[in-house]
């Protein structure tokens, strides 16, 4: 059966020859490390910025964001938000946490054995560390935390992974630990039945409260000031009206039971993930964010901040090494040691810039007209950089 449906080299050649979006890149299949590779799709990339950004890691520079998207107005809107924040001194970010998790399941014959293992887990950390660390120069096991579910124990393994996002690294290290433990005297004496490497306690590629609270990836916050003059000149609305617009949307979001609150920060997360070779499916884990607006009655300034608790990003590994994705990381000055936190900080900063501009467009009722203008008339092709 598999022979009938398996794509043979001839079939792949057929696809290569008959699809006109194929990129002629002999190394792509090898570098992309995906199966049955026939080329790559072309996603349009727009540049937003410049945005003056300072970071807790010493970042202090002007940045442009490569945004891979098919949505008209998104890049222009993000660029407008950048111009606005620049007028108020730019955006700042702070990286709060950085980790990667994997959560194996230890299966026992009954809950009593599971409970006994639960008590044992904290004392196993250093043994597990010494095994995990043989698998990588960068993955470091920092915490293990058990949870009993019936006769199983799900143990959250938390790693630091250098500049890589670390999903593979955490998997390989955890598998090695599990394999060793399954063969140990302790496992035999505790009547361990088997170990499986992941039991969904990491909620990988799904949105979960645990990851909102404890992070999976980089947790980052970014903030900036909108001055009344810049708000009126650049966004065509007052800071007070913008503040009210944002607060009112937040009320509707609460009524909807929306998870987190932003207008459309996931647009920047997705566009930068795709441009920079991040795992696009991880946008689901990264989509929760919290936009906060504070109005300063003395100055009429509007202080805006956002918090993104779970950005599984990396500047090495995965798709970040592909040619064009690497170029995107270079545009962002996100290569080299320590650049993972910066990448997360820049994503949060540009997400904030897009949100303020979108918020203004819905506040002053120019939202539909701008999408009609850019999405339908071809106005978007008039570049402004
Ligand atoms: C489209 C604009 C920016 C026009 O806004 P405008 O005020 O007419 O633009 P402008 O011509 O006065 O230019 C102001 C600045 O905008 C930027 N800009 C302006 N045009 C360009 C361009 N062609 N290329 C690059 N940048 C551009 C650029 O920074 C420019 O500064 P300048 O360069 O002139 O010094 C505005 O109307 C807007 O932001 N609209 C909102 C669109 C938006 O945010 N869409 C987001 C995606 S929709 C979605 O998915 C969200 C949703 C629906 O879920 C949200 C929700 O539920 O609330
Ligand atoms: N297997 C899984 O469970 C899942 C995998 N993925 C995929 O995993 C990939 C991401 O995994 P990830 O582990 O980040 O990527 P990789 O598998 O590409 O591993 C990163 C590699 O980079 C090396 N490296 C070099 N310099 C550094 C540095 N400064 N910091 C950290 N590592 C460095 C690591 O070295 P060393 O060998 O010493 O560790 C490792 O070999 C994505 O492609 C994603 O789609 C996504 C979800 C689940």
């Amino acid at each position: 059966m598999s022979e009938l449906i398996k794509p043979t080299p001839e079939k792949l050649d057929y696809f290569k020859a008959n699809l006109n979006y194929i990129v002629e890149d002999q190394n792509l299949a090898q570098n992309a490390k995906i199966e049955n590779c026939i080329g790559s799709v072309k996603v349009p990339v727009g540049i937003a910025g410049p945005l003056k950004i300072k970071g807790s890691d010493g970042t202090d520079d002007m940045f442009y964001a490569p945004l891979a998207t098919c949505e008209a107005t998104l890049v222009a809107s993000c660029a407008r938000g950048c111009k606005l924040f620049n007028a108020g001194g730019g955006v700042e970010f702070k990286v709060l946490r950085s980790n990667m998790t994997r959560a194996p399941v230890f299966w026992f014959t009954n809950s009593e054995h599971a409970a006994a293992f639960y008590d044992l887990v904290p004392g196993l950390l250093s043994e597990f560390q010494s095994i995990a660390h043989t698998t990588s120069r960068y993955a470091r096991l920092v915490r293990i935390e058990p949870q009993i579910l019936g006769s199983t124990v799900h143990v959250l393994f938390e790693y630091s992974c250098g500049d890589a996002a670390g999903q593979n690294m955490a998997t390989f290290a955890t598998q090695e630990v599990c394999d060793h433990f399954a063969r140990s005297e302790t496992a035999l004496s505790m009547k361990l039945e088997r170990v499986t490497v992941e039991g969904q306690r990491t909620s990988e590629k799904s949105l979960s409260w645990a990851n909102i609270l404890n992070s999976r990836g980089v947790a980052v916050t970014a903030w900036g000031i909108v001055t009344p003059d810049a708000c009126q000149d650049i966004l065509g609305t007052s800071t007070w009206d913008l503040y009210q617009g944002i607060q009112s949307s937040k009320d509707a979001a609460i009524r909807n039971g929306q998870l987190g609150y932003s207008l459309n920060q996931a647009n920047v997360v997705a566009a930068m993930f795709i441009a920079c070779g991040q795992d696009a499916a991880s946008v689901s884990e990264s989509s929760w964010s919290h936009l906060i607006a504070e109005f300063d009655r003395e100055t009429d300034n509007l202080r805006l901040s956002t918090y993104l608790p779970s950005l599984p990003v990396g500047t090495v590994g995965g798709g970040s090494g592909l040619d064009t994705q690497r170029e995107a990381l270079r545009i962002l000055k996100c290569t080299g040691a320590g650049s993972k936190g910066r990448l997360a900080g820049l994503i949060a900063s540009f997400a904030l810039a897009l949100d303020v501009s979108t918020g203004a467009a819905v506040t002053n009722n120019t939202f539909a007209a701008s999408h009609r203008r850019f999405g339908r008339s071809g106005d978007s092709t008039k570049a402004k950089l």
Side-chain angles (χ1 to χ4, degrees):
M1 177 63 180
S2 64
E3 281 308 302
L4 289 178
I5 55 172
K6 199 173 171 191
T8 58
E10 294 73 33
K11 280 186 190 152
L12 293 180
D13 285 344
Y14 172 84
F15 284 119
K16 287 179 186 174
N18 288 281
L19 296 176
N20 61 14
Y21 57 73
I22 301 304
V23 173
E24 282 304 327
D25 180 351
Q26 300 304 319
N27 296 322
L28 186 71
Q30 205 185 345
N31 293 339
K33 298 193 183 76
I34 69 158
E35 306 73 36
N36 292 342
C37 185
I38 55 167
S40 54
V41 292
K42 293 177 185 170
V43 182
V45 178
I47 288 284
L51 178 58
K52 183 172 167 45
I53 301 177
K54 278 190 188 174
S56 51
D57 59 351
T59 295
D60 186 359
D61 216 334
M62 301 295 284
F63 291 91
Y64 288 95
L67 300 172
T69 181
C70 296
E71 184 172 8
T73 76
L74 197 159
V75 179
S77 186
C78 186
R80 186 169 76 151
C82 295
K83 183 176 175 181
L84 175 83
F85 277 125
N86 287 341
V91 172
E92 284 191 46
F93 71 81
K94 182 169 174 58
V95 171
L96 303 163
R97 288 182 296 280
S98 178
N99 69 9
M100 182 43 62
T101 58
R102 192 50 71 213
V105 188
F106 296 77
W107 302 71
F108 296 91
T109 46
N110 56 43
S111 294
E112 286 73 21
H113 288 137
F117 179 66
Y118 175 92
D119 287 338
L120 197 71
V121 168
L124 293 170
L125 179 62
S126 62
E127 182 187 335
F128 283 6
Q129 283 172 326
S130 60
I131 301 164
H133 299 176
T134 61
T135 64
S136 166
R137 293 158 293 164
Y138 300 93
R140 292 293 169 263
L141 181 62
V142 290
R143 192 170 76 94
I144 48 176
E145 194 229 280
Q147 193 173 71
I148 303 175
L149 277 86
S151 53
T152 65
V153 180
H154 293 232
V155 184
L156 191 75
F157 281 47
E158 184 178 322
Y159 295 87
S160 65
C161 287
D163 280 309
Q167 293 98 324
N168 271 336
M169 290 155 83
T171 298
F172 305 153
T174 306
Q175 184 73 60
E176 191 71 12
V177 171
C178 292
D179 291 349
H180 272 260
F181 184 75
R183 292 192 297 266
S184 69
E185 287 296 325
T186 318
L188 284 176
S189 68
M190 304 203 81
K191 303 216 176 341
L192 176 73
E193 285 196 324
R194 62 195 163 103
V195 194
T196 44
V197 77
E198 173 60 56
Q200 203 54 28
R201 203 183 148 195
T202 60
S203 288
E204 179 158 64
K205 298 184 180 171
S206 300
L207 192 58
S208 73
W209 268 119
N211 289 344
I212 291 165
L213 293 176
N214 304 320
S215 307
R216 185 171 191 269
V218 183
V220 65
T221 183
W223 63 92
I225 287 175
V226 180
T227 63
D229 287 351
C231 197
Q232 199 62 59
D233 292 351
I234 299 167
L235 299 184
T237 188
S238 67
T239 46
W240 177 247
D241 284 353
L242 179 56
Y243 173 71
Q244 285 197 312
I246 290 171
Q247 296 304 97
S248 156
S249 299
K250 196 176 273 182
D251 287 338
I254 290 170
R255 187 68 63 90
N256 268 352
Q258 184 174 314
L259 303 176
Y261 173 70
S262 80
L263 289 150
N264 65 154
Q265 294 184 23
N267 264 330
V268 162
V269 174
M272 290 182 72
F273 268 37
I274 293 168
C276 299
Q278 308 303 306
D279 189 328
S282 296
V283 172
S284 57
E285 307 175 50
S286 309
S287 60
W288 193 97
S289 61
H290 193 177
L291 174 70
I292 292 174
E294 295 164 304
F295 189 78
D296 183 334
R297 289 185 205 207
E298 303 243 310
T299 58
D300 281 1
N301 281 348
L302 183 59
R303 288 196 301 271
L304 291 178
S305 70
T306 189
Y307 171 56
L308 293 112
S310 264
L311 290 173
V313 294
T315 53
V316 294
S320 71
L322 297 173
D323 291 347
T324 50
Q325 287 81 342
R326 198 89 212 133
E327 280 170 23
L329 288 169
R330 270 191 225 110
I331 291 170
L332 287 162
K333 301 169 198 167
C334 281
T335 56
S339 51
K340 176 165 88 174
R342 172 182 280 185
L343 176 59
L346 300 190
I347 291 172
S349 302
F350 283 101
L352 190 62
L354 175 64
D355 244 15
V356 67
S357 171
T358 308
V362 292
T363 298
N364 69 11
N365 227 359
T366 52
F367 182 77
S370 67
H371 274 264
R372 183 175 293 282
R373 193 175 122 215
F374 283 78
R376 297 280 179 82
S377 72
D379 256 17
S380 55
T381 54
K382 293 172 194 151
K384 279 185 161 193
L385 253 188

